[in-house]
Amino acid sequence: MRSHIAEDFSQGSHEANVVRLPSMPRGLALADRVLGLIVSVPAALLVLAEIVLLFSGVCARYVFHQPLVWGDELAGILFLWLAMTGAATALHRGAHMRMTAIVNRAGTEWGAIWDTVALMASLLFLGLIAAPAYAYINQQWMIVTPALEINDGLRVAAIVYGVACMLLMSLVKLLARGWKPAAIGIVISVAVVAGFETAGPVLQSLGNLNLLIFFVGVVGFTVLSGMPIAFSFGLAVFSYLSLSTSMPLEIVVSRMDEGMSQLLLLAVPMFIFLGLLIEMTGMARAMINFLASLLGHVRGGLSYVLIGAMYLISGISGSKAADMAAVAPILFPEMKKRGERPGELVALLSATGAQTETVPPSIVLITIGSVTGVSISALFTGGLLPGFVLAIALCVLVWWRARRVQPVSAERATGAVIGKTLVIALPALALPAVIRFAVVEGVATATEVSTVGIVYSLIAGLLIYRRFDWKRVGPMLVETAALSGAILIIIGTATAMAWALTQSGFSHSLASFMEHLPGGAISFMAVSVVMFVLLGSVLEGIPAIVLFGPLLFPIARDVGIHEVQYAMVVILSMGLGLFSPPFGVGYYGACAVSKIHPDEGIRPIVGYMIALFIGIVVIAAVPWISTGFLKTP
């Protein structure tokens, strides 16, 4: 497999789009650029507006004791517009989460055909959602918001705007393709649609077998063909409802609105921007330099630094891609000079990516709290020690592998050097404490606290580190919007799919099966670990959480498992699958960041994955690791 597979999944196929754009006819290229501007500029401004609004709310409430009663309402209105313009920006930049392993191995000609099939499927989903989205605006037009007295139809108009822009973008991409792959892709797509339409009466008589056809067959086919995962989920739900039920399709749009409009999820774009900000201001480098001065001279010392740096930085940024991009370019050149093999480096980087999934303020923690009702504050508290336990497991393996290796000419840092790097790193090291203090002391909510971190990092970058590039702020805002939109639209369509599964009775059947497993809590936990490892290797953590979290967390409570402990085990199990080759796409993301061929890390990573699995078993067996520091009622 090639290293750009992960780039296509986690960051989209932007490089591929850039390569094709010059071959577009001038009119199509101009249309493509205009469409990109009319979504990316508003999306960036909306991110900036949300930062200002949320931080103003903190100041008004905590400093002036005059809360903005309309603040949350306005933030919610803007948030749906941010989600949809961000999703459209992600489509334009090729930043939607996709699985392109099979397409990339199909060769140039067939790869182009499969890519066209995926594009046609995306067009089909966007075309199907357009009319119900417009109808949903009419339904919401009679609702007026309580504080600002704004018509709610203006808020949900964001869905129509985003869908219309994405539909036009997809049409431009289709017109820009060569006639042969476009023709074959269109024929295949039309044949599939016609087949389903013809089979409509038969499908309505199959009952719950349709769940396999649409939520396994359609989702599996479209995901493997390279279609964005969010669109795959949405197309499956639309197909299921329209061909095998008589339910109105506006329900799909309302479920998507419900999933994307949870104000807790506003923390996602805020923490993504914070992650980009700490890298730009040099705060990440300061922390890494301090750790290197402490451990750089011992056997495997920089490997320990890598583990510690990922733990610290993950606690600030909440974005795994930002974590790896901040650490690898700083540490890897020196580690290579000291004789570390590239395969070992990318294997350890992948392992630390899985290890730090529960370190707050993880986006996955925020998502799991929003869809299951578990306290985000409790998840933030409970996530620290499990990540530390896995860090110890990785450190033990690093020590074992390095015990017979002579250190390569790395001098022990003097006390003066350590003290100097500590002083430089202190403002950066204080950021997690500032975030934690703001939440615990009630200065800011879990949604708002990221803006406290943003303002702190802004001041530190300008006054202390003096590494603030104003020219990068605009691209950072656009990147934040694109990544946020890609995540949020997955949550929206996955919420619709979860609703469809619940209405079909599947959730009751799954709950009954899991609840009556022999062995009680032990069997339930063991099956959950295996299931979420497999889900993590196929899907990103967020879609799996949104789909199965609301179904399984009540069962965990019923069998006596603390919901915070179960959350930690689920998240870490998905992380293990996400970063385990050959299917774990997080591994290919680590390869892309470190510019190391995936083949070099396949063998070294096995030991690290075993160490992580042992750590997960320990966390599953010892509830105190996840719940020991929680406040008891």
Side-chain angles (χ1 to χ4, degrees), residues 6 89 103 233 246 255 304 377 452:
T89 302
V103 174
F233 287 177
S246 57
R255 296 303 96 184
Y304 300 129
S377 178
V452 176

Side-chain angles (χ1 to χ4, degrees), residues 380-395:
F380 278 16
T381 301
L384 288 168
L385 194 52
F388 186 72
V389 168
L390 293 193
I392 292 174
L394 293 178
C395 286

Side-chain angles (χ1 to χ4, degrees), residues 146-507:
L148 295 173
E149 298 185 353
I150 294 176
N151 194 301
D152 194 55
L154 297 176
R155 180 185 66 86
V156 299
I159 300 177
V160 173
Y161 181 80
V163 167
C165 291
M166 288 189 284
L167 189 60
L168 291 173
M169 289 174 188
S170 298
L171 285 172
V172 168
K173 292 179 186 294
L174 181 64
L175 293 173
R177 296 177 184 275
W179 69 269
K180 186 176 180 180
I184 296 176
I186 291 171
V187 168
I188 293 174
S189 302
V190 169
V192 171
V193 171
F196 273 112
E197 284 288 347
T198 303
V202 177
L203 292 172
Q204 292 185 2
S205 66
L206 294 180
N208 280 347
L209 284 176
N210 287 306
L211 299 179
L212 288 176
I213 295 172
F214 292 103
F215 296 137
V216 177
V218 172
V219 169
F221 174 80
T222 52
V223 166
L224 292 177
S225 71
M227 182 178 178
I229 287 179
F231 296 176
S232 296
F233 287 177
L235 182 60
V237 176
F238 268 108
S239 302
Y240 170 73
L241 293 181
S242 62
L243 295 174
S244 63
T245 74
S246 57
M247 294 183 182
L249 297 181
E250 290 84 356
I251 292 177
V252 179
V253 184
S254 69
R255 296 303 96 184
M256 289 177 60
D257 178 22
E258 178 187 343
M260 291 187 291
S261 297
Q262 300 177 69
L263 202 58
L264 279 173
L265 292 174
L266 187 51
V268 171
M270 300 298 100
F271 277 117
I272 290 173
F273 184 77
L274 177 58
L276 297 172
L277 190 61
I278 64 160
E279 186 276 328
M280 187 258 278
T281 56
M283 296 173 71
R285 181 179 290 273
M287 287 187 286
I288 294 170
N289 288 342
F290 169 63
L291 293 175
S293 71
L294 291 176
L295 300 170
H297 62 281
V298 303
R299 291 186 179 94
L302 291 184
S303 295
Y304 300 129
V305 172
L306 175 59
I307 295 169
M310 283 291 288
Y311 187 89
L312 287 174
I313 292 175
S314 182
I316 298 172
S317 73
S319 168
K320 201 58 57 188
D323 300 342
M324 294 190 293
V327 172
I330 299 172
L331 282 178
F332 278 16
E334 182 62 27
M335 294 177 79
K336 290 178 181 178
K337 288 180 184 178
R338 299 187 185 190
E340 292 284 1
R341 291 175 295 174
E344 288 282 349
L345 299 182
V346 75
L348 181 57
L349 182 64
S350 297
T352 56
Q355 164 228 333
T356 54
E357 286 280 55
T358 63
V359 178
S362 164
I363 292 174
V364 180
L365 285 179
I366 296 168
T367 303
I368 208 169
S370 68
V371 301
T372 64
V374 181
S375 165
I376 291 181
S377 178
L379 291 171
F380 278 16
T381 301
L384 288 168
L385 194 52
F388 186 72
V389 168
L390 293 193
I392 292 174
L394 293 178
C395 286
V396 169
L397 181 58
V398 167
W399 169 81
W400 177 260
R401 289 184 169 182
R403 71 193 188 284
R404 295 177 181 173
V405 177
Q406 293 298 323
V408 181
S409 62
E411 295 182 1
R412 181 191 297 266
T414 64
V417 171
I418 294 174
K420 181 179 179 180
T421 56
L422 173 59
V423 170
I424 294 173
L426 273 177
L429 292 170
L431 180 53
V434 170
I435 291 175
R436 171 77 178 155
F437 174 83
V439 173
V440 172
E441 297 301 319
V443 176
T445 66
T447 304
E448 298 167 334
V449 72
S450 53
T451 62
V452 176
I454 289 170
V455 173
Y456 177 92
S457 301
L458 180 65
I459 294 172
L462 287 171
L463 302 182
I464 300 174
Y465 295 102
R466 297 186 179 182
R467 277 193 56 191
F468 197 93
D469 186 356
W470 289 102
K471 293 180 181 179
R472 291 183 57 186
V473 174
M476 285 165 54
L477 290 170
V478 174
E479 185 176 349
T480 298
L483 182 54
S484 302
I487 292 171
L488 293 168
I489 197 169
I490 282 181
I491 293 175
T493 53
T495 300
M497 184 183 289
W499 173 85
L501 289 171
T502 301
Q503 294 298 310
S504 70
F506 170 80
S507 59

